[in-house]
Amino acid sequence: MAGAPVAVVVPGGTGADGLTFNMHAAQQGFVEVRFAFPGGGSPQFMSKGSFDNRGKASVEALRDVILFAGGKKPDYKGRFIADLLADQYKVDPQNIGVVGWDNGGNQALVALAKYVSELDFVNWLAFYESP
């Protein structure tokens, strides 16, 4: 294997929180990238912006996080995922996926469909209890 697979985790529910959700993918050898909706997340890792009830800004933010997870876009400090993990893990750029939990599955499907040409590197999509 070229490196660890990456799972972008999109939380369920109806609120903006997301970083407190953990599916324990790292314990199975994945790099787990947790998505927080604009305006959500735990206090020390709060996402900027305002929660738009999973609207346009939320879909765009998810696109950007998936691009980051795929090594296509840097974070707000100009760092790529490989830069952040270089000392501990190597990422497999051919094994990038999205896991949508509950309503997060709907959000993942919308982002992947709306930005299909930008996110064409995503290899898999998994749902858990999505409507």
Side-chain angles (χ1 to χ4, degrees):
M1 175 165 64
V6 179
V8 176
V9 182
V10 187
T14 57
D17 192 26
L19 296 178
T20 57
F21 181 84
N22 185 347
M23 66 173 222
H24 306 285
Q27 294 169 338
Q28 300 303 317
F30 285 74
V31 171
E32 185 175 322
V33 176
R34 295 186 217 161
F35 174 69
F37 290 95
S42 55
Q44 76 259 29
F45 300 111
M46 191 88 175
S47 176
K48 298 207 184 301
S50 299
F51 184 55
D52 67 346
N53 199 26
R54 298 175 187 251
K56 182 181 178 191
S58 292
V59 175
E60 289 173 355
L62 179 55
R63 175 204 59 203
D64 290 346
V65 168
I66 295 170
L67 287 168
F68 169 77
K72 312 282 186 202
K73 184 175 184 141
D75 69 5
Y76 71 102
K77 291 184 178 180
R79 303 169 300 183
F80 287 87
I81 190 169
D83 300 330
L84 297 174
L85 300 173
D87 293 339
Q88 296 179 0
Y89 303 101
K90 193 171 164 186
V91 174
D92 182 354
Q94 303 303 314
N95 198 353
I96 310 293
V98 180
V99 179
W101 287 68
D102 189 39
N103 285 329
N106 298 337
Q107 195 76 24
L109 193 58
V110 169
L112 290 171
K114 185 170 182 167
Y115 299 106
V116 68
S117 62
E118 289 178 75
L119 302 177
D120 63 353
F121 62 91
V122 174
N123 297 99
W124 50 270
L125 171 63
F127 297 105
Y128 184 80
E129 295 185 348
S130 293

